Amino acid sequence: MLEVRNLRSAYGRIEVLKGIDLDVQTGEIVALVGSNGAGKTTLLRALSGVQPITGGEIRFNGQRIDRLPPHKRVEMGMTQSPEGRQVFGSLTVEDNLQLGAYRRRDKGIDQDRDRIFSMFPVLAEKRHLLAGGLSGGQQQMLAIGRALMGRPKLLLLDEPSLGLSPLLVDQILDAIVSLKKDGITVLLVEQNASAALAIADRGYVLETGKVAHSGSGSVLLADPQIKAAYLGIA
Ligand code: ATP
């Protein structure tokens, strides 16, 4: 579904992505992990088209997309749910979800909203409240829900567990697994590497702008070197 070849990106003269190769197959959950500043967020932003690239290729379902503007990539089925929970605070929960579906003209919108409410029941309880009053975890759920309302084929998630309590982290990860069951492919950037690899089919470990390791989630999780370097387990 997604093929990334020799992707490069820089901030000014500082190269931050130094030739990334990465694949995501249809139906997979792929985790992108690595220490702070490794380039994970920059990579997601380059994929969604908001970060300029200086070299390399990105293909989505066989088609070159690296010169397309972000909204074209969204139209093709690739949606990013951003880090930092950018929900519209002065709109209700329901209106935030509705906005996620603004490009759609089909009849499945209400059904998808109900599906999100069953995935995150707290959003259903608070559907008429302003999003700005939600807790951080609830805003994160709403941001994911809003991205899902666009019916993406590939969902790019940046740090969905950032700043959440362990219970909420579990809820978000369960929701990601349930997306896979619904046929949505997920590329997940996570600081919480062990949790991400545990639900991932495959993972990539990024180190200063390069892929340092890749493999199945379980193999990466069990690798002593990776445990020591990234998972905080000696
Ligand atoms: P984190 O988990 O801390 O967000 P990351 O792996 O997502 O880390 P990036 O945010 O992609 O890493 O950052 C990669 C490198 O690019 C870092 O060295 C960072 O300082 C630098 N960087 C990020 N954003 C900018 C920017 N807007 N201008 C200049 N340098 C930046």
Side-chain angles (χ1 to χ4, degrees):
M1 175 176 267
L2 183 72
E3 295 165 67
V4 177
R5 294 292 172 269
N6 199 23
L7 193 71
R8 295 177 179 274
S9 184
Y11 293 106
R13 282 193 211 152
I14 302 173
E15 191 165 54
V16 179
L17 301 180
K18 303 173 183 171
I20 301 280
D21 291 323
L22 173 144
D23 290 277
V24 180
Q25 314 291 342
T26 303
E28 282 189 313
I29 297 176
V30 173
L32 196 55
V33 304
S35 40
N36 278 333
K40 306 180 295 295
T41 297
T42 305
L43 176 54
L44 274 204
R45 289 168 51 82
L47 296 177
S48 56
V50 291
Q51 164 71 25
I53 62 170
T54 50
E57 296 182 358
I58 308 169
R59 283 193 169 73
F60 184 62
N61 289 328
Q63 218 178 318
R64 274 291 283 276
I65 61 162
D66 42 82
R67 289 173 198 276
L68 298 181
H71 72 271
K72 290 277 179 207
R73 304 186 199 194
V74 173
E75 278 170 21
M76 291 171 78
M78 208 170 94
T79 301
Q80 178 166 0
S81 172
E83 184 183 24
R85 313 175 185 117
Q86 293 159 16
V87 298
F88 296 99
S90 57
L91 298 181
T92 64
V93 166
E94 206 160 67
D95 287 346
N96 267 276
L97 291 177
Q98 201 64 34
L99 269 179
Y102 79 102
R103 288 175 191 282
R104 291 173 58 183
R105 296 285 173 271
D106 61 276
K107 295 199 163 57
I109 294 177
D110 289 351
Q111 201 182 333
D112 283 356
R113 191 189 48 214
D114 291 345
R115 168 94 185 83
I116 289 160
F117 284 153
S118 67
M119 193 185 288
F120 301 121
V122 67
L123 295 184
E125 281 165 34
K126 303 199 168 184
R127 61 201 290 169
H128 300 303
L129 302 184
L130 297 184
L134 300 181
S135 73
Q138 292 161 358
Q139 290 191 12
Q140 185 63 281
M141 293 172 195
L142 182 55
I144 295 174
R146 195 181 64 195
L148 289 174
M149 286 298 287
R151 283 231 174 141
K153 298 187 181 87
L154 173 64
L155 182 64
L156 308 174
L157 286 174
D158 195 357
E159 302 270 6
S161 79
L162 192 75
L164 303 188
S165 68
L167 188 68
L168 283 176
V169 172
D170 285 348
Q171 256 190 53
I172 296 267
L173 293 175
D174 285 350
I176 294 170
V177 172
S178 77
L179 295 182
K180 176 184 156 107
K181 290 186 190 132
D182 285 353
I184 296 173
T185 306
V186 178
L187 179 59
L188 167 69
V189 163
E190 258 297 339
Q191 201 67 250
N192 190 342
S194 38
L197 291 173
I199 63 158
D201 298 293
R202 291 185 307 110
Y204 291 84
V205 181
L206 233 59
E207 209 174 275
T208 55
K210 287 185 179 158
V211 173
H213 306 273
S214 62
S216 76
S218 51
V219 166
L220 291 177
L221 261 182
D223 185 313
Q225 204 189 337
I226 290 175
K227 275 187 184 171
Y230 304 102
L231 307 180
I233 310 165

